Amino acid sequence: KAGVTQTPRYLIKTRGQQVTLSCSPISGHRSVSWYQQTPGQGLQFLFEYFSETQRNKGNFPGRFSGRQFSNSRSEMNVSTLELGDSALYLCASHGGGHLVDEQYFGPGTRLTVT
Amino acid sequence: DQQVKQNSPSLSVQEGRISILNCDYTNSMFDYFLWYKKYPAEGPTFLISISSIKDKNEDGRFTVFLNKSAKHLSLHIVPSQPGDSAVYFCAASARNTDKLIFGTGTRLQVFP
């Protein structure tokens, strides 16, 4: 069974631009969560989508948004990029039960904002 | 406000010895705890978990201990192997919130 895939793996953007990241969950998984990893902050929860609906949300500004498609693939968008948005963005999928059940993470997208 | 804290950013242990990674939390509502391991250029992988109704859970070389009164959990790896070298994240959740709160991670290096 294929794992969680994320595209692109690396991205360089300029301040003020917007970016869209993609995540394909494990086949059959209906839940996708997004996290931001930065040095010193660990993994911070952005949001979770389940069956095309946002089910949970972290404490990030409205510049961070997401969506999920009927095939469970998910996209995350960051508008008006800031230098502080430079981070590794990870998505994780699981079968749709309680969020704390074992999640499978993708390799991440490394975003650099200059 | 960091609700889950891993105060040691790094740990170095000799192969064959015990590795002890620590994690503290502040939210008394947390009732489920997990450890993830992360290698460079890969996503975190689930390692072991523990419910608040237990104080110990063991899986092979890995044991997690939970001290609810101290709001502290630890991961013991015995014996440590070079392949265990990675960043370890602890995470916590309160079941009524459906959110996982991660710590900042501890980089473990196991040397021969």
Side-chain angles (χ1 to χ4, degrees), chain A residues 9-10 35 37-38 40-45 48 55-59 88 90 98-108 110, chain B residues 2-3 31-32 34 36 38 41-47 49 87 89 92-105:
Chain A
R9 292 293 309 276
Y10 302 91
Y35 294 86
Q37 184 189 356
T38 54
Q41 292 294 318
L43 278 74
Q44 294 187 285
F45 175 77
E48 183 216 3
R55 188 162 71 170
N56 283 290
K57 191 177 187 304
N59 298 322
L88 179 68
L90 294 158
H98 195 275
L99 183 63
V100 299
D101 292 334
E102 182 182 338
Q103 299 185 67
Y104 296 87
F105 282 85
R110 172 74 61 186
Chain B
Q2 194 74 27
Q3 296 185 67
D31 58 5
Y32 198 75
L34 306 90
Y36 281 82
K38 185 181 186 298
E42 295 181 12
T45 54
F46 170 77
L47 196 55
S49 63
V87 177
F89 291 96
S93 175
R95 283 195 171 257
N96 62 345
T97 65
D98 277 359
K99 288 182 184 178
L100 264 183
I101 309 298
F102 282 83
T104 52

Side-chain angles (χ1 to χ4, degrees), chain B residues 20 23 30-31 33 41 44 47 52 68 71 75 88-89 100 103:
Chain B
I20 300 176
C23 180
F30 288 150
D31 58 5
F33 305 88
L47 196 55
S52 60
K68 289 185 289 294
K71 294 189 178 69
L75 174 68
Y88 290 78
F89 291 96
L100 264 183

Side-chain angles (χ1 to χ4, degrees), chain B residues 42-99:
Chain B
E42 295 181 12
T45 54
F46 170 77
L47 196 55
I48 192 169
S49 63
I50 187 167
S51 164
S52 60
I53 62 173
K54 295 185 174 182
D55 54 19
K56 176 183 173 181
N57 188 27
E58 193 171 352
D59 184 1
R61 297 186 297 114
F62 303 91
T63 302
V64 56
F65 295 91
L66 175 62
N67 182 333
K68 289 185 289 294
S69 61
K71 294 189 178 69
H72 176 83
L73 65 154
S74 60
L75 174 68
H76 293 210
I77 306 174
V78 182
S80 301
Q81 300 174 353
D84 297 329
S85 297
V87 177
Y88 290 78
F89 291 96
C90 69
S93 175
R95 283 195 171 257
N96 62 345
T97 65
D98 277 359
K99 288 182 184 178

Side-chain angles (χ1 to χ4, degrees), chain A residues 14-103:
Chain A
T14 305
R15 263 183 311 175
Q17 288 186 315
Q18 75 165 14
V19 66
T20 299
L21 312 181
S22 180
C23 172
S24 293
I26 290 172
S27 177
H29 282 191
R30 297 165 63 192
S31 171
V32 174
S33 296
W34 288 89
Y35 294 86
Q36 181 194 65
Q37 184 189 356
T38 54
Q41 292 294 318
L43 278 74
Q44 294 187 285
F45 175 77
L46 281 152
F47 29 65
E48 183 216 3
Y49 284 86
F50 176 77
S51 293
E52 302 179 63
T53 301
Q54 188 179 87
R55 188 162 71 170
N56 283 290
K57 191 177 187 304
N59 298 322
F60 277 79
R63 301 186 296 109
F64 292 81
S65 63
R67 59 178 176 169
Q68 187 179 34
F69 302 93
S70 58
N71 61 357
S72 293
R73 189 177 70 86
S74 177
E75 287 182 348
M76 189 192 91
N77 184 275
V78 187
S79 63
T80 320
L81 283 166
E82 301 176 359
L83 293 179
D85 297 332
S86 295
L88 179 68
Y89 289 89
L90 294 158
C91 79
S93 78
H94 72 99
H98 195 275
L99 183 63
V100 299
D101 292 334
E102 182 182 338
Q103 299 185 67

